[in-house]
Amino acid sequence: MPVDPGQIGPQSFANGAVTREQALAEVRADAARDGIEIMTDADPEVKRYMDDAARREGIDPDALHALTLGDMIFVREARQDDVRVLREELIHTAQQRGMEIGVDTDRRTSSELDAREELLKNAERWALTPEEINEIQQEIIEMKSRGKYGWQRV
């Protein structure tokens, strides 16, 4: 069931809900607890890998904010404190455990939809903004209407 973005926002944070800073600290602590390394594209090898992955998908490299490979999360330096991006990628690390990566497109679509549903289910706990909630809901609608996960081609 979709989250009403009007119910989440600065007023909920003032009422004792989780702050963005707390949510960021929590996602980083969860990653560390699970042995997940978060690396930014400040590292030239990470940047090269992310840019190549974007090109393989047929998208502008700047449109690829993060990706997960096993127990590593690669994220653009500009998004390293983005709770929504980090939490989604952390969800993907759990999804990838025990499965072959990058083989089954249906599995990929299912994983992307599941990750977004998990984000919405925990929107307040993880301090997602109304804009992020709207963005996630729109991504779900687009994936369901296309019947698959995919990028906007450049």
Side-chain angles (χ1 to χ4, degrees):
M1 177 165 130
V3 173
D4 178 1
Q7 294 177 348
I8 308 284
Q11 74 281 0
S12 353
F13 302 144
N15 295 329
V18 176
T19 66
R20 292 291 283 192
E21 293 79 18
Q22 290 169 323
L24 179 60
E26 182 181 316
V27 72
R28 290 186 184 282
D30 289 350
R33 178 199 65 223
D34 294 344
I36 308 301
E37 185 175 4
I38 301 172
M39 302 163 55
T40 73
D41 68 345
D43 179 324
E45 289 184 39
V46 171
K47 179 174 178 22
R48 187 171 32 257
Y49 185 85
M50 291 183 75
D51 290 351
D52 287 346
R55 283 189 204 86
R56 284 191 304 274
E57 293 287 338
I59 63 168
D60 183 323
D62 292 334
L64 180 66
H65 301 144
L67 62 87
T68 298
L69 184 62
D71 62 355
M72 296 179 292
I73 295 173
F74 299 152
V75 63
R76 298 289 179 194
E77 193 170 18
R79 297 290 186 136
Q80 68 182 332
D81 294 329
D82 187 321
V83 174
R84 184 262 162 118
V85 168
L86 294 176
R87 184 56 73 179
E88 181 180 333
E89 296 307 315
L90 189 59
I91 291 167
H92 288 316
T93 64
Q95 291 170 333
Q96 289 179 6
R97 287 188 185 115
M99 82 166 64
E100 199 167 341
I101 300 169
V103 175
D104 186 339
T105 350
D106 293 332
R107 183 180 295 163
R108 182 175 185 190
T109 300
S110 178
S111 292
E112 293 294 340
L113 285 168
D114 289 348
R116 282 160 181 77
E117 292 292 342
E118 187 73 15
L119 288 168
L120 291 178
K121 186 169 69 176
N122 292 284
E124 189 165 332
R125 177 177 166 216
W126 293 337
L128 299 183
T129 65
E131 294 80 15
E132 289 169 330
I133 292 167
N134 284 331
E135 179 183 60
I136 293 164
Q137 289 172 330
Q138 187 59 43
E139 290 169 355
I140 290 170
I141 290 167
E142 290 173 10
M143 277 188 265
K144 287 183 176 180
S145 71
R146 276 193 309 263
K148 66 177 185 149
Y149 176 74
W151 293 91
Q152 179 71 29
R153 299 287 178 184
V154 291

